[in-house]
Amino acid sequence: MREVAQEERAGLGLGPKDPLDPYALAEEHGIGVYTLEGLQKFDMTAVALQHFTVSSSSAWSAALVPLGTARVIVENESHILVRRRSNIAHELGHHLLEHSFDGVILGEDHKRQFNPEQEKQATFMAGELLVPLAAAQRMAYDGWDNARVAAAYTVSEQFAQMQMKGPRVRAQRAAQKYGFSSSTGRARP
């Protein structure tokens, strides 16, 4: 999966340290991205818009929707930009991994139920698209905090923490084993 993300980033001319615009990647794949408000021209009611963007805005973030052989992403514009970017990257993860739509169903409680393995894979892809492992490792050795990572890659601090946790552990272990300062990567005096 990591290789797929690397290929997609390279296709946009990005190295591991460059921030990715998930909207540009969607466009590259011919996937239109629509906001809920934008769906009003397709007869989405004001009541539904109010429900998903105000009353229950946390109930729904984004969805990859099949339209024949085409795909579109619908996003909840009431969320902050960093969340919207991670939502789009997550939905692109489903597309890039060619996840089928037959696993999406509504339960008796009218809530969506998904294949947990596919959700895990899409989350992994979102992480690799937005903050690749190679960049996370370098930032961990250089001592970047979550706020700095978040600002550099336009993600939330929580998303930065998710991507930096493993690389930070490895950087700390290397620092202890080889006598490096984990915040600079230089040998201790």
Side-chain angles (χ1 to χ4, degrees), residues 121-176:
Q121 292 171 355
T123 298
F124 178 85
M125 283 294 291
E128 283 298 310
L129 288 168
L130 294 173
V131 184
L133 177 62
Q137 288 174 329
R138 181 72 266 154
M139 292 181 290
Y141 279 96
D142 290 344
W144 286 34
D145 64 12
N146 293 337
R148 187 172 175 193
V149 173
Y153 287 88
T154 318
V155 297
S156 68
E157 288 189 32
Q158 180 182 6
F159 193 98
Q161 171 64 27
M162 176 182 77
Q163 289 304 104
M164 296 298 294
K165 185 176 181 181
R168 282 193 180 120
V169 169
R170 287 188 291 281
Q172 290 169 351
R173 287 181 182 160
Q176 290 171 349

Side-chain angles (χ1 to χ4, degrees), residues 8 13 18-19 42 84 91 179 188-189:
E8 292 298 326
D18 299 317
F42 299 106
R84 290 171 64 185
E91 297 307 325
R188 291 186 188 145

Side-chain angles (χ1 to χ4, degrees), residues 48-67:
L49 179 65
Q50 171 78 14
H51 173 77
F52 287 115
T53 60
V54 178
S55 305
S56 296
S57 67
S58 64
W60 183 81
S61 300
L64 179 66
V65 180
L67 293 175

Side-chain angles (χ1 to χ4, degrees), residues 6-108:
Q6 290 168 346
E7 289 173 12
E8 292 298 326
R9 291 177 56 81
L12 293 173
L14 302 174
K17 294 181 183 177
D18 299 317
L20 174 131
D21 178 355
Y23 296 92
L25 183 58
E27 185 177 329
E28 184 74 16
H29 282 269
I31 299 173
V33 178
Y34 298 89
T35 62
L36 288 170
E37 185 173 347
L39 294 181
Q40 286 188 302
K41 64 183 172 189
F42 299 106
D43 297 326
M44 180 177 180
T45 67
V47 171
L49 179 65
Q50 171 78 14
H51 173 77
F52 287 115
T53 60
V54 178
S55 305
S56 296
S57 67
S58 64
W60 183 81
S61 300
L64 179 66
V65 180
L67 293 175
T69 59
R71 303 288 181 261
V72 298
I73 295 174
V74 180
E75 69 170 329
N76 189 336
E77 71 270 25
S78 71
H79 296 167
I80 61 173
L81 179 62
V82 293
R83 181 169 177 191
R84 290 171 64 185
R85 287 171 45 82
S86 68
N87 294 339
I88 299 302
H90 177 93
E91 297 307 325
L92 286 169
H94 286 298
H95 170 74
L96 296 171
L97 295 171
E98 301 178 0
H99 289 162
S100 66
F101 290 93
D102 58 352
V104 181
I105 59 172
L106 291 178
E108 289 181 20

